[in-house]
Amino acid sequence: MTLQELQQEHAASLQAVAGAGDAAALDALRVKYLGRNGLIPALVKQMKDVPPADRPAFGKELGAWRAAFEQALAERTAAAQAAAEPVAAFDVTLPGRWRAEGVPHPVSRVIEECAEIFHRLGFTVADGPDIETKFNNFTALNTAPHHPSMDASDTFWFDPETLLRTQTSPVQIRTMLENPPPVRIINPGRCYRRDTTDATHSANFHQIEGLYVDTKPVSLADLKSTLAYFAREMMGPGIGVRFRPHFFPFTEPSVEVDFTCHVCKGKGCRVCKNSGWIEIAGAGMVDPRVYEHVGYDPDKVYGYAFGMGLERIAMIKYGIPDIRFLYENDIRFLGQFR
Ligand code: DAH
């Protein structure tokens, strides 16, 4: 074999290794080139027949070939073994694993929806703290100095001037103290009262407050149309509102607001105690005394306010029979509201 032929064999052997598809093919090549009767050992044996002058070049080429072939063979064998390893079994036909998926709490959903509905009427969302001053929660809202609602049996007091707010109405005061008219806000938030828990009472509950005060005339008719729009958007078409005279210290005149019973649509049923109406909110025209407390000129501004319980709306809207379901955090109950 000439040196040139030797080099051709060398190249051909490497090509064969590169093209071998699996471990068996590679083993066959190992036997063919390196085995006891393999080509390379045979050529080594033939070295004695090579003319002495050519031997060093021949020997060098044979050594280089053997090294290159062994290395290529080792690399390909390792790669073939890795490819043959079983891949982690992944059965695409298996049913998926169920994961508990969080959903917004019904009260949070009502809050979201209220914000959207009133946003369309130009109301923005205001905020206020749960811990309030006596001034914001009672005095500025024109509550009589010894009104029973201030009693320690009704209100959680920290000290004579600080309490857990009993209503969201103090946010009206904060808003007007911080902003000149016009103001048009809603404020959903937590309230606290020393109530004994039962199916419709909880010491911790939520209200949403609304306040619109402007320097141009705002009337009871505006209040009614706003709440009528809210009633339809929140409870569905065909829901109307009615006002009944009432008393609140911070509004004059004051009204209680009923929505058409969503169950019987006004015909009368067990839910509405046959009246066709369901009490939803308190409201009225802001009392001039309140304007005085926040530094608004009662002769130059007009406005209305309203407030309603959010649990009550959630219970009516979703047919929840007991307020305690909303606070027991049982996911069998909460999970329904997806
Ligand atoms: N704060 C009242 C309550 O807790 C609800 C209320 C009534 C709010 C009339 C108002 C309003 O803004 O005008 O019972």
Side-chain angles (χ1 to χ4, degrees), residues 166-167 169 172 193 207 209-210 248 250-251 282-284 305-307:
T166 60
Q167 47 192 356
S169 304
Q172 291 186 29
R193 286 182 200 175
Q207 287 186 338
E209 194 78 13
F248 293 105
F250 33 87
T251 43
F306 57 85

PDB file of all heavy atoms in Angstrom, residues 166-167 169 172 193 207 209-210 248 250-251 282-284 305-307, ligand 1:
ATOM      1  N   THR A 166     -67.506  53.018  61.504  1.00  0.00           N
ATOM      2  CA  THR A 166     -68.753  52.247  61.547  1.00  0.00           C
ATOM      3  C   THR A 166     -69.474  52.324  60.206  1.00  0.00           C
ATOM      4  O   THR A 166     -70.494  51.693  59.996  1.00  0.00           O
ATOM      5  CB  THR A 166     -69.685  52.803  62.625  1.00  0.00           C
ATOM      6  OG1 THR A 166     -69.988  54.179  62.309  1.00  0.00           O
ATOM      7  CG2 THR A 166     -69.014  52.759  63.994  1.00  0.00           C
ATOM      8  N   GLN A 167     -68.954  53.169  59.300  1.00  0.00           N
ATOM      9  CA  GLN A 167     -69.578  53.380  57.993  1.00  0.00           C
ATOM     10  C   GLN A 167     -68.498  53.943  57.063  1.00  0.00           C
ATOM     11  O   GLN A 167     -67.440  54.370  57.514  1.00  0.00           O
ATOM     12  CB  GLN A 167     -70.722  54.379  58.122  1.00  0.00           C
ATOM     13  CG  GLN A 167     -70.336  55.626  58.918  1.00  0.00           C
ATOM     14  CD  GLN A 167     -71.522  56.506  59.305  1.00  0.00           C
ATOM     15  OE1 GLN A 167     -72.635  56.233  58.914  1.00  0.00           O
ATOM     16  NE2 GLN A 167     -71.257  57.559  60.068  1.00  0.00           N
ATOM     17  N   SER A 169     -69.070  56.568  55.327  1.00  0.00           N
ATOM     18  CA  SER A 169     -69.371  58.000  55.197  1.00  0.00           C
ATOM     19  C   SER A 169     -68.214  58.947  55.566  1.00  0.00           C
ATOM     20  O   SER A 169     -68.127  60.035  54.990  1.00  0.00           O
ATOM     21  CB  SER A 169     -70.623  58.339  56.020  1.00  0.00           C
ATOM     22  OG  SER A 169     -71.696  57.513  55.618  1.00  0.00           O
ATOM     23  N   GLN A 172     -66.519  60.720  52.794  1.00  0.00           N
ATOM     24  CA  GLN A 172     -67.114  61.971  52.281  1.00  0.00           C
ATOM     25  C   GLN A 172     -66.370  63.168  52.874  1.00  0.00           C
ATOM     26  O   GLN A 172     -65.998  64.104  52.160  1.00  0.00           O
ATOM     27  CB  GLN A 172     -68.579  62.114  52.736  1.00  0.00           C
ATOM     28  CG  GLN A 172     -69.565  61.157  52.153  1.00  0.00           C
ATOM     29  CD  GLN A 172     -70.990  61.530  52.599  1.00  0.00           C
ATOM     30  OE1 GLN A 172     -71.295  62.695  52.854  1.00  0.00           O
ATOM     31  NE2 GLN A 172     -71.860  60.540  52.674  1.00  0.00           N
ATOM     32  N   ARG A 193     -68.780  47.147  63.318  1.00  0.00           N
ATOM     33  CA  ARG A 193     -69.758  47.470  64.358  1.00  0.00           C
ATOM     34  C   ARG A 193     -69.812  46.329  65.352  1.00  0.00           C
ATOM     35  O   ARG A 193     -69.605  45.171  64.977  1.00  0.00           O
ATOM     36  CB  ARG A 193     -71.153  47.676  63.755  1.00  0.00           C
ATOM     37  CG  ARG A 193     -71.278  48.997  63.013  1.00  0.00           C
ATOM     38  CD  ARG A 193     -72.674  49.230  62.464  1.00  0.00           C
ATOM     39  NE  ARG A 193     -72.594  50.228  61.399  1.00  0.00           N
ATOM     40  CZ  ARG A 193     -73.614  50.605  60.639  1.00  0.00           C
ATOM     41  NH1 ARG A 193     -74.805  50.064  60.836  1.00  0.00           N
ATOM     42  NH2 ARG A 193     -73.454  51.521  59.698  1.00  0.00           N
ATOM     43  N   GLN A 207     -69.218  48.525  53.010  1.00  0.00           N
ATOM     44  CA  GLN A 207     -70.187  49.451  52.414  1.00  0.00           C
ATOM     45  C   GLN A 207     -69.560  50.103  51.197  1.00  0.00           C
ATOM     46  O   GLN A 207     -68.340  50.090  51.019  1.00  0.00           O
ATOM     47  CB  GLN A 207     -70.555  50.577  53.409  1.00  0.00           C
ATOM     48  CG  GLN A 207     -71.450  50.149  54.549  1.00  0.00           C
ATOM     49  CD  GLN A 207     -71.888  51.340  55.390  1.00  0.00           C
ATOM     50  OE1 GLN A 207     -71.247  52.399  55.390  1.00  0.00           O
ATOM     51  NE2 GLN A 207     -72.977  51.172  56.111  1.00  0.00           N
ATOM     52  N   GLU A 209     -69.801  53.935  49.538  1.00  0.00           N
ATOM     53  CA  GLU A 209     -70.310  55.285  49.741  1.00  0.00           C
ATOM     54  C   GLU A 209     -70.257  56.012  48.413  1.00  0.00           C
ATOM     55  O   GLU A 209     -69.354  55.767  47.610  1.00  0.00           O
ATOM     56  CB  GLU A 209     -69.366  55.995  50.731  1.00  0.00           C
ATOM     57  CG  GLU A 209     -69.909  57.261  51.310  1.00  0.00           C
ATOM     58  CD  GLU A 209     -70.925  56.971  52.413  1.00  0.00           C
ATOM     59  OE1 GLU A 209     -71.012  55.815  52.875  1.00  0.00           O
ATOM     60  OE2 GLU A 209     -71.636  57.914  52.796  1.00  0.00           O
ATOM     61  N   GLY A 210     -71.206  56.902  48.185  1.00  0.00           N
ATOM     62  CA  GLY A 210     -71.155  57.741  46.995  1.00  0.00           C
ATOM     63  C   GLY A 210     -71.361  59.194  47.393  1.00  0.00           C
ATOM     64  O   GLY A 210     -72.120  59.476  48.335  1.00  0.00           O
ATOM     65  N   PHE A 248     -81.295  60.501  58.139  1.00  0.00           N
ATOM     66  CA  PHE A 248     -79.873  60.321  58.415  1.00  0.00           C
ATOM     67  C   PHE A 248     -79.357  61.686  58.842  1.00  0.00           C
ATOM     68  O   PHE A 248     -79.803  62.708  58.296  1.00  0.00           O
ATOM     69  CB  PHE A 248     -79.102  59.850  57.173  1.00  0.00           C
ATOM     70  CG  PHE A 248     -79.487  58.458  56.722  1.00  0.00           C
ATOM     71  CD1 PHE A 248     -80.290  58.288  55.600  1.00  0.00           C
ATOM     72  CD2 PHE A 248     -79.049  57.333  57.420  1.00  0.00           C
ATOM     73  CE1 PHE A 248     -80.658  57.016  55.193  1.00  0.00           C
ATOM     74  CE2 PHE A 248     -79.411  56.062  57.002  1.00  0.00           C
ATOM     75  CZ  PHE A 248     -80.219  55.898  55.891  1.00  0.00           C
ATOM     76  N   PHE A 250     -76.638  63.190  58.246  1.00  0.00           N
ATOM     77  CA  PHE A 250     -75.785  63.900  57.277  1.00  0.00           C
ATOM     78  C   PHE A 250     -76.475  64.233  55.970  1.00  0.00           C
ATOM     79  O   PHE A 250     -75.847  64.749  55.051  1.00  0.00           O
ATOM     80  CB  PHE A 250     -74.505  63.097  57.021  1.00  0.00           C
ATOM     81  CG  PHE A 250     -74.694  61.598  57.095  1.00  0.00           C
ATOM     82  CD1 PHE A 250     -75.089  60.880  55.981  1.00  0.00           C
ATOM     83  CD2 PHE A 250     -74.503  60.929  58.300  1.00  0.00           C
ATOM     84  CE1 PHE A 250     -75.277  59.505  56.058  1.00  0.00           C
ATOM     85  CE2 PHE A 250     -74.697  59.551  58.387  1.00  0.00           C
ATOM     86  CZ  PHE A 250     -75.087  58.833  57.273  1.00  0.00           C
ATOM     87  N   THR A 251     -77.778  63.899  55.856  1.00  0.00           N
ATOM     88  CA  THR A 251     -78.507  64.271  54.639  1.00  0.00           C
ATOM     89  C   THR A 251     -79.856  64.883  55.015  1.00  0.00           C
ATOM     90  O   THR A 251     -80.442  64.541  56.044  1.00  0.00           O
ATOM     91  CB  THR A 251     -78.741  63.038  53.735  1.00  0.00           C
ATOM     92  OG1 THR A 251     -79.131  61.932  54.537  1.00  0.00           O
ATOM     93  CG2 THR A 251     -77.515  62.690  52.928  1.00  0.00           C
ATOM     94  N   GLY A 282     -79.140  53.778  51.781  1.00  0.00           N
ATOM     95  CA  GLY A 282     -79.566  55.034  52.391  1.00  0.00           C
ATOM     96  C   GLY A 282     -79.013  56.146  51.533  1.00  0.00           C
ATOM     97  O   GLY A 282     -77.958  55.987  50.915  1.00  0.00           O
ATOM     98  N   ALA A 283     -79.710  57.274  51.469  1.00  0.00           N
ATOM     99  CA  ALA A 283     -79.234  58.357  50.602  1.00  0.00           C
ATOM    100  C   ALA A 283     -79.920  59.667  50.966  1.00  0.00           C
ATOM    101  O   ALA A 283     -80.799  59.707  51.833  1.00  0.00           O
ATOM    102  CB  ALA A 283     -79.512  58.003  49.137  1.00  0.00           C
ATOM    103  N   GLY A 284     -79.509  60.710  50.288  1.00  0.00           N
ATOM    104  CA  GLY A 284     -80.166  61.997  50.512  1.00  0.00           C
ATOM    105  C   GLY A 284     -79.325  63.143  49.975  1.00  0.00           C
ATOM    106  O   GLY A 284     -78.262  62.932  49.396  1.00  0.00           O
ATOM    107  N   ALA A 305     -75.615  62.216  48.518  1.00  0.00           N
ATOM    108  CA  ALA A 305     -74.755  61.132  49.013  1.00  0.00           C
ATOM    109  C   ALA A 305     -75.600  59.876  49.113  1.00  0.00           C
ATOM    110  O   ALA A 305     -76.828  59.948  49.204  1.00  0.00           O
ATOM    111  CB  ALA A 305     -74.170  61.490  50.375  1.00  0.00           C
ATOM    112  N   PHE A 306     -74.922  58.753  49.047  1.00  0.00           N
ATOM    113  CA  PHE A 306     -75.629  57.487  49.264  1.00  0.00           C
ATOM    114  C   PHE A 306     -74.661  56.467  49.844  1.00  0.00           C
ATOM    115  O   PHE A 306     -73.433  56.620  49.731  1.00  0.00           O
ATOM    116  CB  PHE A 306     -76.252  56.954  47.958  1.00  0.00           C
ATOM    117  CG  PHE A 306     -75.270  56.757  46.839  1.00  0.00           C
ATOM    118  CD1 PHE A 306     -74.544  55.578  46.734  1.00  0.00           C
ATOM    119  CD2 PHE A 306     -75.066  57.759  45.889  1.00  0.00           C
ATOM    120  CE1 PHE A 306     -73.641  55.397  45.686  1.00  0.00           C
ATOM    121  CE2 PHE A 306     -74.168  57.588  44.845  1.00  0.00           C
ATOM    122  CZ  PHE A 306     -73.448  56.407  44.742  1.00  0.00           C
ATOM    123  N   GLY A 307     -75.228  55.465  50.500  1.00  0.00           N
ATOM    124  CA  GLY A 307     -74.381  54.416  51.058  1.00  0.00           C
ATOM    125  C   GLY A 307     -75.153  53.118  51.073  1.00  0.00           C
ATOM    126  O   GLY A 307     -76.362  53.114  51.298  1.00  0.00           O
TER     127      GLY A 307
HETATM  128  N1  DAH B   1     -73.806  55.572  56.479  1.00  0.00           N
HETATM  129  C1  DAH B   1     -75.178  55.073  56.454  1.00  0.00           C
HETATM  130  C2  DAH B   1     -75.264  53.788  57.256  1.00  0.00           C
HETATM  131  O1  DAH B   1     -74.259  53.225  57.587  1.00  0.00           O
HETATM  132  C3  DAH B   1     -75.605  54.825  55.027  1.00  0.00           C
HETATM  133  C4  DAH B   1     -75.843  56.106  54.312  1.00  0.00           C
HETATM  134  C5  DAH B   1     -77.080  56.683  54.342  1.00  0.00           C
HETATM  135  C6  DAH B   1     -74.823  56.719  53.644  1.00  0.00           C
HETATM  136  C7  DAH B   1     -77.332  57.863  53.680  1.00  0.00           C
HETATM  137  C8  DAH B   1     -75.057  57.917  52.977  1.00  0.00           C
HETATM  138  C9  DAH B   1     -76.323  58.473  53.005  1.00  0.00           C
HETATM  139  O2  DAH B   1     -74.115  58.549  52.281  1.00  0.00           O
HETATM  140  O3  DAH B   1     -76.545  59.653  52.353  1.00  0.00           O
HETATM  141  O4  DAH B   1     -76.333  53.330  57.536  1.00  0.00           O
END
